[in-house]
């Protein structure tokens, strides 16, 4: 695959990795949810809040049973890949709870299972990735205080980095979400890509004031008089993205534009997998959307900086909070599975972590 970036042309040896990092990034881009605040997207300007998309796994199961079986086999091999709700025990402590979250406003996701809601309501302390999301205006102000993390500060604009064709497609994609291209022209490509990757219905619901899951969990806790603590700052999350190479981000933005409406299918499938607790199937599923064709350097770099490094930070910072017992913690679901996931890291700290069906 060859793409144009300004006057340059780049060979992409592995489009699959670009899609993988983008969708994996979807669960950490809390900043993208602030676009409605930053750009004052009104409910009238935003798209309709009804989502469209089909379940790609159901389609694959019918069209290619053998390939579907391979995906299931790969998913089954992922440690802790089943379940989004876990119990955390340690002798002498009241049990704590761990929820793998999805940072979306989908009503199906917001409706926690009864046992998870009961654990939330009875907990003394609520832990989320960043407690800054409780006040979006303050969070937006914090981001604007570090413009280097989200914006070009040297006069660069996105039209200088994209071909005219890709620039026009970007304009169209943003219009569908009620976001003027002029408002993001100086934004870094990964920030723009997050806006395009989010389904239009997500932006529309955000413009109408609907909270995404983590916000709702924290806001409900505040109403109940509970203490809410964050494991990271938004600036730390953005810094991790900003440290990845610029061409990496540009390729990812263009790959997102290439997907077009298919992105709705990808997000719908991710949501279905999340709701069924099949978190370990997410990455194998994504490989069927954009098959790997080469080395995995791009995704390996992303995985290390955005997922694995942050897993360690989350587990280390959560440990002293969990030491008090009776904690309800919610972090992105893709941080849970794997031999270097948050679950395994907590076990290495002496906690017993078991799935709750």
């Amino acid at each position: 695959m060859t793409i144009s970036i300004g006057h340059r042309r780049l060979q992409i040896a592995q489009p699959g990795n670009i899609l993988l990092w983008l969708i994996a990034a979807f669960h950490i881009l809390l900043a993208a949810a602030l676009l409605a605040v930053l750009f004052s997207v009104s409910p009238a300007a935003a798209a309709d809040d009804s989502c469209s998309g089909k379940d790609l796994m159901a389609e694959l199961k019918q069209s290619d049973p053998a390939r579907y079986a391979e995906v299931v086999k790969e998913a089954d091999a992922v440690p802790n890949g089943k379940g989004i709700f876990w119990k955390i025990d340690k002798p002498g402590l009241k049990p704590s709870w761990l929820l793998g979250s999805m940072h979306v406003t989908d009503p199906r996701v917001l409706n926690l299972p009864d046992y998870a809601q009961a654990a939330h309501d009875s907990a003394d302390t609520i832990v989320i990735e960043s407690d800054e999301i409780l006040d979006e205006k303050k969070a937006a102000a914090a981001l604007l205080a570090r413009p280097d993390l989200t914006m070009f500060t040297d006069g660069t604009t996105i039209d200088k980095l994209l071909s005219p064709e890709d620039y026009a497609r970007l304009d169209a994609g943003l219009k569908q979400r009620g976001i003027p291209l002029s408002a993001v022209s100086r934004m870094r490509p990964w920030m723009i890509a997050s806006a395009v990757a989010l389904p239009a219905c997500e932006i529309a619901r955000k413009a109408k004031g609907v909270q995404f899951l983590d916000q709702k969990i924290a806001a409900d806790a505040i109403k109940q008089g509970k203490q809410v603590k964050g494991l990271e700052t938004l600036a730390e999350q953005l810094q991790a993205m900003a440290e990845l190479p610029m061409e990496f981000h540009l390729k990812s933005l263009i790959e997102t534009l290439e997907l077009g409406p298919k992105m709705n299918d990808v997000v719908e499938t991710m949501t279905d997998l999340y709701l069924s607790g099949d978190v370990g199937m997410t990455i194998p599923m994504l490989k069927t959307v954009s098959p790997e064709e080469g080395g995995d350097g791009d995704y390996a770099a992303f995985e290390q900086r955005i997922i694995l490094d942050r897993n360690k930070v989350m587990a280390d910072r959560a440990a002293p909070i969990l030491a008090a017992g009776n904690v309800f913690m919610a972090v992105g679901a893709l941080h849970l599975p794997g031999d270097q996931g948050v679950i395994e890291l907590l076990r290495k700290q002496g906690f017993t972590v078991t799935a709750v069906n």
Side-chain angles (χ1 to χ4, degrees):
M1 175 181 177
T2 303
I3 60 174
S4 299
I5 298 181
H7 299 294
R8 297 170 294 165
R9 295 181 69 81
L10 295 175
Q11 282 293 138
I12 301 181
Q14 188 172 341
N17 277 344
I18 296 165
L19 176 61
L20 282 173
W21 90 258
L22 176 64
I23 303 302
F26 182 83
H27 78 293
I28 71 141
L29 294 182
L30 301 182
L34 300 176
L35 288 173
V37 176
L38 288 171
F39 306 133
S40 300
V41 179
S42 69
D48 182 77
D49 64 3
S50 59
C51 296
S52 62
K54 58 188 177 183
D55 185 346
L56 297 174
M57 288 304 295
E59 191 175 76
L60 181 65
K61 185 176 183 179
Q62 183 175 16
S63 64
D64 191 346
R67 180 69 185 103
Y68 176 82
E70 292 176 4
V71 172
V72 172
K73 182 178 179 180
E74 184 175 350
D76 287 343
V78 177
N80 309 311
K82 294 281 188 181
I84 60 170
F85 193 56
W86 300 73
K87 184 179 181 182
I88 304 173
D89 287 303
K90 202 170 197 178
L93 298 178
K94 287 185 178 180
S96 291
W97 309 91
L98 173 62
L99 174 72
S101 67
M102 191 173 183
H103 306 324
V104 295
T105 60
D106 190 314
R108 297 170 295 174
V109 172
L110 296 181
N111 186 24
L112 291 179
D114 290 342
Y115 49 80
Q117 188 64 58
H120 171 280
D121 294 344
S122 62
D124 294 328
T125 304
I126 305 298
V127 175
I128 56 176
E129 287 185 22
S130 173
D131 57 0
E132 293 171 307
I133 62 175
L134 278 165
D135 188 327
E136 289 189 339
K137 290 186 178 180
K138 286 185 179 179
L143 295 182
L144 292 174
R146 286 292 311 273
D148 56 304
L149 296 181
T150 58
M151 312 282 287
F152 289 114
T153 56
D154 59 359
T156 299
T157 53
I158 196 65
D159 61 298
K160 297 176 182 177
L161 301 173
L162 297 179
S163 68
E165 295 79 12
D166 288 325
Y167 187 69
R169 284 154 60 192
L170 176 60
D171 185 25
L174 291 174
K175 281 181 178 176
Q176 291 176 359
R177 290 152 176 78
I179 301 173
L181 180 55
S182 60
V184 303
S185 63
R186 295 184 180 277
M187 284 201 131
R188 294 189 176 274
W190 68 263
M191 189 71 175
I192 301 174
S194 71
V196 179
L198 282 173
C201 59
E202 277 291 324
I203 296 293
R205 287 195 292 250
K206 281 300 303 171
K208 295 176 181 178
V210 180
Q211 297 174 318
F212 58 90
L213 178 57
D214 307 66
Q215 282 180 312
K216 185 177 184 301
I217 287 172
D220 288 348
I222 293 296
K223 291 176 184 177
Q224 295 170 355
K226 300 179 187 296
Q227 185 178 34
V228 175
K229 295 185 177 182
L231 299 175
E232 301 173 299
T233 66
L234 288 178
E236 286 176 324
Q237 293 180 338
L238 302 186
Q239 182 66 48
M241 291 297 290
E243 288 176 3
L244 294 175
M246 178 59 63
E247 289 194 347
F248 188 51
H249 291 307
L250 287 170
K251 290 187 292 184
S252 304
L253 172 58
I254 295 169
E255 175 78 4
T256 309
L257 295 172
E258 289 279 358
L259 282 174
K262 193 173 184 179
M263 184 63 74
N264 291 334
D265 298 336
V266 173
V267 175
E268 176 63 24
T269 307
M270 288 182 66
T271 303
D272 289 341
L273 292 176
Y274 173 81
L275 293 171
S276 66
D278 292 317
V279 179
M281 194 177 289
T282 303
I283 298 302
M285 176 276 293
L286 292 171
K287 292 177 181 178
T288 71
V289 177
S290 186
E292 296 181 72
E293 297 178 3
D296 59 358
D298 280 354
Y299 180 65
F302 166 81
E303 181 185 36
Q304 184 62 52
R305 185 64 189 93
I306 306 302
I307 299 180
L308 301 183
D309 288 352
R310 292 180 60 232
N311 288 352
K312 189 173 187 307
V313 169
M314 289 181 189
D316 287 347
R317 293 179 180 175
I321 305 174
L322 293 170
N326 202 24
V327 173
F328 182 97
M329 182 167 75
V331 299
L334 291 183
H335 287 289
L336 302 190
D339 56 9
Q340 298 181 65
V342 169
I343 291 171
E344 284 301 320
L345 293 176
L346 290 177
R347 286 172 177 161
K348 290 178 180 178
Q349 292 176 352
F351 294 98
T352 299
V353 186
T354 53
V356 178
N357 293 323

